[in-house]
Amino acid sequence: MDVLFSPPDITEREIAEVVDTLRSGWITTGPKTKLFEKNIAEFCHTSKAVCLNSATACSEMALRALGIGPGDEVITSAYTYTASASVVCHVGAKLVLVDTAENSHEMDYEKLEAAITEKTKAVIPVDLAGIVCDYNRIFEILERKKNLFRPTNKIQRKIGRVAVVADGAHAFGAVREGKKCGEIADFTSFSFHAVKNLTTAEGGAVVWKDIEGIDNEELYKQFMLFSLHGQSKDALAKTQLGAWEYDIIAPYYKCNMTDIMASIGLAQLERYPAILERRKELIKIYDEALEGENIQHLHHYGDDFSSSGHLYITHVLGKNREECNEIIRKMAEKGIATNVHYKPLPMLTAYKKLGFDIQDYPNAYRMFSNEITLPLHTKLTNEEVEYVIKSFKECIR
Ligand SMILES: *Cc1c(COP(=O)(O)O)cnc(C)c1O
């Protein structure tokens, strides 16, 4: 039996929607992207959503919309995927990495508080595995540190403190205290990459909470300009007969979503409640089967929170990285694909070159040292999950 790690879950519904777009005569950013944005905003309980070609572009453009750049500092977690941090480098700001709390996947909030300076403009919390971070705690810290904040433009002044730009790449559809991921942080970006819960092959969306004194339509237009060369008219507007003329207001970027991608997303979003439900079922099977084993796993569901069930992260107690790699090899021999989330950023060449040292991130290192992620996706059958569980129990002995 071969068990894949995270294949895309594509049905005839997605295929029909893509074919409809291909036959329509309009394949790049147009009506389907606009409809997908509207549906995402409704789903997240926000006024607007912007769809771009990746979550990385969404986070980067959010930092740009906030006017963050050289001379500024942005803080994120050492225990995440590179994209949470690389976007800080893209805009030319200084990257500040904070260790996780002991035995936790979230930043150490005391260390976060200590890392805030007069130059800090944003914090990028990561809703790892689809579990929403403790934003009450984060906002409380930023309120307390408000006196240090030095806004340099209108949107920073209106927010009035360090901005929270969540990396919600895993967490589309997650909920905490009755609020959807997307209506909690100031800005939240989601990934629709092929391995994520909801996919458009590549793609992402950014949503934001209304900011008093900031016009949503203007902010939306700013994202449109950033994503399409700074061109005053989008491609659809330019095709109106006789309306050829446009201006370029700045030498901006190119990261728009196509209607082909959006059509996959429209079909996926319709199916999404059932997808979330199935992920919950699978997690329950894993949780129950691994009880009493030498395994620590995340809690995806509780009284006041429910994750998007993106990753089944486990920690094999008493094992080190070498031993876990051996378990991964044994699982592979049985045809089962597993993964590791994450090798902390200070262990990767790019971040070592920036001067980060894993010695300064002992908790993140400890989380990494015995981590194995089991397959979790909606193409997985109950029979396959049982096989993964049986094999995993054998391999960790
Ligand atoms: C996948 C991922 C991203 C990047 O998403 P893209 O859509 O590929 O840009 C960012 N952060 C985390 C934590 C991710 O897992």
Side-chain angles (χ1 to χ4, degrees):
M1 196 185 291
D2 270 345
V3 184
L4 302 174
F5 186 74
S6 184
D9 179 358
I10 299 294
T11 66
E12 289 305 318
R13 185 69 200 81
E14 283 82 356
I15 294 168
E17 196 68 43
V18 169
V19 169
D20 177 68
T21 302
L22 290 173
R23 292 193 201 285
S24 75
W26 195 266
I27 56 177
T28 186
T29 315
K32 295 245 176 140
T33 305
K34 300 299 159 187
L35 179 60
F36 189 38
E37 286 176 343
K38 184 173 157 280
N39 293 354
I40 287 171
E42 259 168 38
F43 183 85
C44 294
H45 307 148
T46 58
S47 300
K48 302 291 279 183
V50 169
C51 285
L52 300 176
N53 68 6
S54 70
T56 308
C58 287
S59 297
E60 180 184 325
M61 297 310 139
L63 295 178
R64 294 195 188 281
L66 285 162
I68 295 171
D72 297 329
E73 294 178 2
V74 178
I75 305 172
T76 191
S77 171
Y79 196 80
T80 182
Y81 185 58
T82 179
S84 316
S86 63
V87 294
V88 177
C89 307
H90 297 178
V91 303
K94 183 182 170 205
L95 174 65
V96 178
L97 294 177
V98 165
D99 197 8
T100 45
E102 213 176 317
N103 204 24
S104 165
H105 294 82
E106 290 180 43
M107 275 187 271
D108 181 327
Y109 293 121
E110 279 172 23
K111 288 190 180 133
L112 167 65
E113 180 155 5
I116 294 169
T117 73
E118 289 185 357
K119 292 179 179 169
T120 308
K121 288 292 171 66
V123 178
I124 304 180
V126 185
D127 297 330
L128 203 85
I131 300 168
V132 175
C133 294
D134 189 353
Y135 287 91
N136 291 337
R137 182 88 189 267
I138 294 168
F139 280 115
E140 190 188 291
I141 290 166
L142 299 182
E143 281 297 322
R144 202 162 43 235
K145 288 277 179 168
K146 224 171 174 170
N147 58 323
L148 281 182
F149 186 60
R150 303 283 177 270
T152 47
N153 61 27
K154 183 178 168 191
I155 189 164
Q156 291 180 12
R157 263 193 304 281
K158 293 294 176 191
I159 294 175
R161 49 158 171 74
V162 169
V164 181
V165 183
D167 182 344
H170 298 173
F172 188 68
V175 181
R176 183 163 175 154
E177 292 171 15
K179 281 196 176 144
K180 279 267 177 77
C181 180
E183 60 175 330
I184 304 172
D186 296 313
F187 289 81
T188 304
S189 56
F190 300 112
S191 176
F192 305 141
H193 175 265
V195 303
K196 300 304 202 292
N197 278 21
L198 183 155
T199 188
T200 58
E202 295 285 352
V206 54
V207 296
W208 61 88
K209 272 193 312 196
D210 293 349
I211 304 161
E212 218 181 296
I214 295 292
D215 183 67
N216 277 328
E217 292 304 327
E218 266 176 43
L219 189 48
Y220 179 85
K221 195 161 166 239
Q222 186 61 53
F223 277 104
M224 293 301 106
L225 287 169
F226 280 148
S227 66
L228 209 84
H229 307 293
Q231 189 172 293
S232 62
K233 265 182 202 166
D234 66 23
L236 200 57
K238 269 179 66 191
T239 58
Q240 301 304 308
L241 285 178
W244 71 269
E245 192 162 5
Y246 61 88
D247 191 18
I248 297 294
I249 65 126
Y252 283 152
Y253 318 97
K254 184 71 195 324
C255 52
N256 53 313
M257 177 176 275
T258 71
D259 269 19
I260 298 175
M261 299 152 87
S263 53
I264 305 174
L266 282 168
Q268 291 258 300
L269 191 53
E270 277 179 21
R271 297 177 49 223
Y272 202 54
I275 287 174
L276 285 177
E277 204 43 50
R278 176 59 182 158
R279 284 181 173 272
K280 188 172 180 175
E281 261 173 38
L282 292 167
I283 288 173
K284 190 158 171 269
I285 298 174
Y286 272 134
D287 282 357
E288 285 176 9
L290 294 176
E291 217 176 285
E293 294 291 327
N294 233 359
I295 293 290
Q296 185 180 314
H297 61 77
L298 296 177
H299 293 286
H300 285 271
Y301 307 97
D303 287 343
D304 63 346
F305 70 98
S306 147
S307 108
S308 63
H310 179 55
L311 292 174
Y312 201 83
I313 285 179
T314 74
H315 296 277
V316 190
L317 301 175
K319 302 277 187 209
N320 62 28
R321 192 64 259 163
E322 261 317 284
E323 292 162 329
C324 285
N325 290 348
E326 185 55 33
I327 294 168
I328 287 174
R329 275 191 292 275
K330 283 196 209 152
M331 292 288 276
E333 277 165 22
K334 292 175 186 289
I336 301 166
T338 57
N339 225 320
V340 175
H341 295 88
Y342 285 98
K343 190 167 187 175
L345 299 181
M347 297 178 77
L348 305 175
T349 303
Y351 298 97
K352 281 191 227 167
K353 280 187 180 165
L354 285 173
F356 295 102
D357 182 345
I358 192 63
Q359 305 282 349
D360 301 325
Y361 302 88
N363 293 335
Y365 183 77
R366 228 168 283 132
M367 294 312 274
F368 159 70
S369 68
N370 61 1
E371 201 281 338
I372 298 176
T373 313
L374 299 180
L376 176 59
H377 55 81
T378 44
K379 301 289 273 184
L380 206 58
T381 64
N382 284 14
E383 194 190 359
E384 286 173 322
V385 185
E386 296 303 338
Y387 177 63
V388 173
I389 290 164
K390 181 174 153 280
S391 307
F392 192 49
K393 284 182 177 176
E394 285 166 17
C395 293
I396 60 176
R397 291 268 131 75

